[in-house]
Amino acid sequence: MMNDESLAVAKVDGNNLEHAAPEPSNPQNTASTPNTPEPPAYTSRYQWYVVVICMVAYIMSFVDRQILSLMIEPIKQDLMLSDTQFSLLQGLAFSLFYAFMGVPIAALADKKSRIKIIAVGIAFWSLATAACGLSKNFIQMFLARLSVGAGEAALSPAFYSIVADLFPKEKIGRALGVFAIGAFIGSGLAFLIGGYVIGLLKDFDSIVLPVIGQVRTWQLTFFIVGLPGVLLALAMILTLKEPHRKGLKVGADGQVMKASFKNSVAFIRTHRKTFFCHFIGFSFYTMMLYSLLGWAPAFYMRHFGLTASETGYALGSIILIANTSGALFCGWLIDFFSKRGYSDAAMRAGMIGCAALIVPSVLFTQVDNIYLSFGLIFVAMFFSTFPIPASAAATQILTPNQLRAQVSAKFLLISNLIALGVGTTAVALITDRYYENTLLVGNSISIVNTVAGIIGVFLLYKGCGYYRESINKEKLHD
């Protein structure tokens, strides 16, 4: 139950917003009376337990989505794919449902139990990852990757909404930073586990499994990384409770604003300049991250002649150190700016990270010394992490409780279509159609990162000013 102070948040375009009277039967959406006791405070241990278990889910999600990139050559050979077709599996197939399913799932997350929604999503994407190992052709793999994306769409919007209910504003950055490192621990483990399994099974062309029969070693890898997620889903259901919602928005008539698609669109429209710069700026920034994660393995195997196992160990180690420390540093930087009174703290941190990423992300493919290349990609990986905690914090701080998951999902819809769907495919198209030489994939990465970085920095710089205006506008209506 929430007190009147927690409901006294900004009004937005009251004529275009739907309102719903409080429903006593649903404590998640009820405005309390002055005599209603506040919900018990969460202990710090429980707050961070929720973050950590969701981070573990994020780790598994990135292992499941990223393992594909390390197995590019055997999958291409067995399924007879081009670079462009493989990029569709890696990018569009995943991002299509990840992006579009996020919107209806987020609408549920703004009304129903976010913990249950996340748990169901984990179980679904884990089984879909295992199904990738059963694929016999491009269409089957494409459908399995669609399903992985659909399941993973449940995690981020629901968690972003939860974290704003668990932590005060000045600690949100660190909480999101810890959650974000799951993406990069997952990516690192995908390369390390993939490299280990490929090395372990290098002398076997196929393995016979009970019931399933004969499978290739890359298919077995999907079973190994996918199925444990079902156990995590069960652990979430048994150990986590749905947090009480706070910061519910009220309209001019004093009624609680309904968590609806119409209201989320109206809120975005009210701050259209801010959200345009946020959505598109962070999308191009994230495009640089996915071009690194998606195509760096192919670059090192093709340009420097590393084996899949060697590439997995090298990039996995870099990602585990550089990306995890970068995500934590970004969370700290957001809180640092916030404590010093910068209302655009998250946007500002994102702009700084995007500017710092351009040079190393372009140059690591242009040097002939492998150790120098590894040094440059280490720096690039550090700064490539900033868009995840920064974009999430910017959204949660500005957006009212009952719209957070839906606004987050709309951002992820746009971001994944641009960053993952367009970005990874752009690298492949430049390689296949312009260079017509797979050995020159490094040049394609550099071109995409140059263009994406310049656009990202410009929009995030403009977005800082618009974001400050939006925060001030909301405060005027308190």
Side-chain angles (χ1 to χ4, degrees), residues 311-442:
T311 302
Y313 291 142
L315 289 180
S317 300
I318 288 172
I319 290 169
L320 284 175
I321 298 171
N323 292 52
T324 54
S325 58
L328 290 173
F329 178 80
C330 180
W332 172 86
L333 187 62
I334 293 168
D335 290 344
F336 174 84
F337 285 141
S338 181
K339 289 177 181 177
R340 279 153 182 77
Y342 291 98
S343 58
D344 62 348
M347 295 289 288
R348 184 179 294 255
M351 179 193 66
I352 292 171
C354 189
L357 174 59
I358 295 175
V359 172
S361 71
V362 171
L363 291 185
F364 87 94
T365 64
Q366 303 304 307
V367 297
D368 291 326
N369 185 298
I370 190 171
Y371 298 106
L372 178 57
S373 179
F374 280 145
L376 288 167
I377 200 174
F378 186 97
V379 176
M381 288 296 190
F382 180 90
F383 289 108
S384 71
T385 63
F386 283 32
I388 296 180
S391 63
T395 301
Q396 303 316 306
I397 291 170
L398 178 62
T399 308
N401 182 296
Q402 63 266 52
L403 303 179
R404 286 174 185 152
Q406 293 187 70
V407 173
S408 295
K410 290 173 178 61
F411 164 67
L412 292 173
L413 167 65
I414 294 171
S415 178
N416 281 281
L417 288 177
I418 294 175
L420 193 55
V422 176
T424 55
T425 303
V427 173
L429 286 174
I430 294 171
T431 303
D432 283 346
R433 303 297 175 84
Y434 179 71
Y435 288 113
E436 298 182 344
N437 185 350
T438 58
L439 295 178
L440 297 179
V441 67

Side-chain angles (χ1 to χ4, degrees), residues 91-114:
L92 184 63
F94 173 84
S95 65
L96 196 62
F97 265 38
Y98 182 83
F100 284 103
M101 288 301 294
V103 175
I105 292 173
L108 285 176
D110 279 329
K111 302 173 185 177
K112 305 296 183 181
S113 170
R114 294 161 289 185

Side-chain angles (χ1 to χ4, degrees), residues 253-283:
D253 56 3
Q255 292 183 311
V256 177
M257 187 172 68
K258 184 186 295 184
S260 67
F261 178 85
K262 177 181 177 181
N263 283 344
S264 66
V265 172
F267 184 80
I268 292 172
R269 185 179 298 138
T270 300
H271 302 286
R272 59 178 66 85
K273 291 181 179 179
T274 297
F275 281 114
F276 176 83
C277 290
H278 176 291
F279 284 16
I280 307 302
F282 277 116
S283 294

Side-chain angles (χ1 to χ4, degrees), residues 201 203-208 213-220:
L201 302 175
D203 296 327
F204 299 88
D205 289 331
S206 61
I207 293 176
V208 178
Q214 185 173 340
V215 296
R216 307 287 286 181
T217 54
W218 62 264
Q219 294 175 303
L220 179 62

